[in-house]
Protein backbone atom coordinates (compact mmCIF):
# COMPACT_ATOMS: atom_id res chain seq x y z
CA UNK A 1 0.00 0.00 0.00
CA UNK A 2 1.09 3.56 -0.65
CA UNK A 3 1.52 5.87 2.31
CA UNK A 4 1.66 9.62 1.75
CA UNK A 5 3.69 11.60 4.23
CA UNK A 6 5.89 14.63 4.08
CA UNK A 7 7.80 17.24 5.98
CA UNK A 8 7.24 20.97 6.01
CA UNK A 9 10.57 22.58 5.22
CA UNK A 10 10.90 26.33 4.89
CA UNK A 11 7.91 27.54 2.89
CA UNK A 12 7.03 24.24 1.31
CA UNK A 13 6.25 20.59 1.78
CA UNK A 14 8.70 17.85 0.83
CA UNK A 15 6.54 14.79 0.21
CA UNK A 16 7.81 11.30 0.89
CA UNK A 17 6.22 8.14 -0.36
CA UNK A 18 6.53 4.63 1.00
CA UNK A 19 5.67 1.56 -1.03
CA UNK A 20 5.73 -0.72 2.02
CA UNK A 21 4.94 -0.32 5.67
CA UNK A 22 8.46 -1.32 6.72
CA UNK A 23 10.00 1.56 4.77
CA UNK A 24 11.24 -0.44 1.78
CA UNK A 25 10.89 1.50 -1.43
CA UNK A 26 10.84 4.87 0.31
CA UNK A 27 11.72 7.77 -1.93
CA UNK A 28 11.73 11.54 -1.93
CA UNK A 29 8.87 13.05 -3.85
CA UNK A 30 8.67 16.35 -5.62
CA UNK A 31 9.09 19.36 -3.39
CA UNK A 32 7.81 22.92 -3.71
CA UNK A 33 7.25 24.18 -7.25
CA UNK A 34 7.85 20.69 -8.63
CA UNK A 35 11.46 20.50 -7.42
CA UNK A 36 12.93 17.78 -5.27
CA UNK A 37 13.97 18.05 -1.63
CA UNK A 38 17.36 19.36 -2.71
CA UNK A 39 15.58 22.47 -4.06
CA UNK A 40 14.30 23.44 -0.61
CA UNK A 41 16.47 26.12 0.99
CA UNK A 42 16.68 25.45 4.72
CA UNK A 43 19.46 25.50 7.31
CA UNK A 44 18.45 22.07 8.57
CA UNK A 45 15.83 19.41 8.05
CA UNK A 46 13.94 17.47 10.69
CA UNK A 47 13.65 13.81 9.76
CA UNK A 48 10.39 11.90 10.13
CA UNK A 49 10.00 9.36 12.93
CA UNK A 50 11.35 6.23 11.26
CA UNK A 51 14.64 4.93 9.94
CA UNK A 52 13.12 4.04 6.56
CA UNK A 53 11.75 7.49 5.81
CA UNK A 54 14.70 9.36 7.29
CA UNK A 55 17.09 7.11 5.38
CA UNK A 56 15.46 8.26 2.16
CA UNK A 57 16.26 11.86 3.09
CA UNK A 58 19.89 11.19 4.11
CA UNK A 59 21.50 11.21 0.63
CA UNK A 60 19.78 14.44 -0.44
CA UNK A 61 20.64 16.19 2.83
CA UNK A 62 24.24 15.06 2.63
CA UNK A 63 24.63 16.03 -1.05
CA UNK A 64 23.38 19.57 -0.35
CA UNK A 65 25.34 19.92 2.90
CA UNK A 66 22.11 20.33 4.83
CA UNK A 67 22.05 19.15 8.45
CA UNK A 68 19.35 16.53 8.97
CA UNK A 69 18.25 15.90 12.56
CA UNK A 70 16.93 12.34 12.64
CA UNK A 71 14.88 12.38 15.83
CA UNK A 72 13.38 8.91 15.53
CA UNK A 73 15.81 7.03 13.30
CA UNK A 74 18.20 4.48 14.75
CA UNK A 75 19.25 2.28 11.81
CA UNK A 76 23.01 2.54 11.34
CA UNK A 77 22.53 2.93 7.57
CA UNK A 78 20.79 6.29 8.10
CA UNK A 79 24.01 7.76 9.51
CA UNK A 80 26.87 5.70 8.04
CA UNK A 81 28.78 7.76 5.49
CA UNK A 82 26.57 10.82 5.97
CA UNK A 83 28.41 13.40 8.09
CA UNK A 84 25.51 15.88 8.02
CA UNK A 85 23.00 13.46 9.59
CA UNK A 86 22.55 13.55 13.37
CA UNK A 87 20.30 11.41 15.53
CA UNK A 88 18.86 11.57 19.00
CA UNK A 89 19.00 7.78 19.45
CA UNK A 90 22.21 5.76 19.27
CA UNK A 91 22.62 3.84 16.01
CA UNK A 92 21.44 0.24 16.28
CA UNK A 93 25.03 -0.98 15.90
CA UNK A 94 25.85 0.72 19.21
CA UNK A 95 22.73 -0.01 21.28
CA UNK A 96 24.49 -2.10 23.89
CA UNK A 97 28.02 -0.64 23.68
CA UNK A 98 27.62 1.76 26.62
CA UNK A 99 25.95 -0.88 28.78
CA UNK A 100 28.74 -3.39 28.13
CA UNK A 101 31.40 -0.76 28.86
CA UNK A 102 29.66 0.21 32.12
CA UNK A 103 29.41 -3.43 33.18
CA UNK A 104 33.09 -3.90 32.45
CA UNK A 105 34.03 -0.84 34.52
CA UNK A 106 31.85 -2.21 37.34
CA UNK A 107 33.86 -5.44 37.35
CA UNK A 108 31.69 -7.79 35.31
CA UNK A 109 33.76 -10.48 33.62
CA UNK A 110 31.05 -12.59 31.99
CA UNK A 111 27.70 -11.94 30.34
CA UNK A 112 24.83 -14.07 29.12
CA UNK A 113 22.23 -13.49 26.45
CA UNK A 114 18.84 -15.00 27.28
CA UNK A 115 15.82 -15.43 25.05
Amino acid sequence: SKAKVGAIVGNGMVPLSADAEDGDGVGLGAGPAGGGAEDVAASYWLGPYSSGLTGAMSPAANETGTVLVAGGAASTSVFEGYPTIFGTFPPTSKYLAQAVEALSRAGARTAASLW
Side-chain angles (χ1 to χ4, degrees), residues 1-5 17-27 50 52-53:
S1 70
K2 285 251 187 216
K4 291 187 178 186
V5 296
S17 62
D19 294 328
E21 290 180 13
D22 63 0
D24 288 346
V26 175
S50 82
L53 293 173

Side-chain angles (χ1 to χ4, degrees), residues 78-102:
V78 170
F79 307 100
E80 201 166 57
Y82 298 116
T84 64
I85 315 305
F86 298 91
T88 58
F89 295 151
T92 54
S93 64
K94 299 185 188 239
Y95 268 174
L96 292 177
Q98 290 179 329
V100 171
E101 289 170 7

Side-chain angles (χ1 to χ4, degrees), residues 52-89:
L53 293 173
T54 303
M57 295 176 74
S58 294
N62 195 60
E63 287 172 18
T64 60
T66 304
V67 172
L68 170 61
V69 179
S75 177
T76 303
S77 64
V78 170
F79 307 100
E80 201 166 57
Y82 298 116
T84 64
I85 315 305
F86 298 91
T88 58
F89 295 151

Side-chain angles (χ1 to χ4, degrees), residues 9-20:
V9 180
N11 293 326
M13 171 76 95
V14 177
L16 296 170
S17 62
D19 294 328

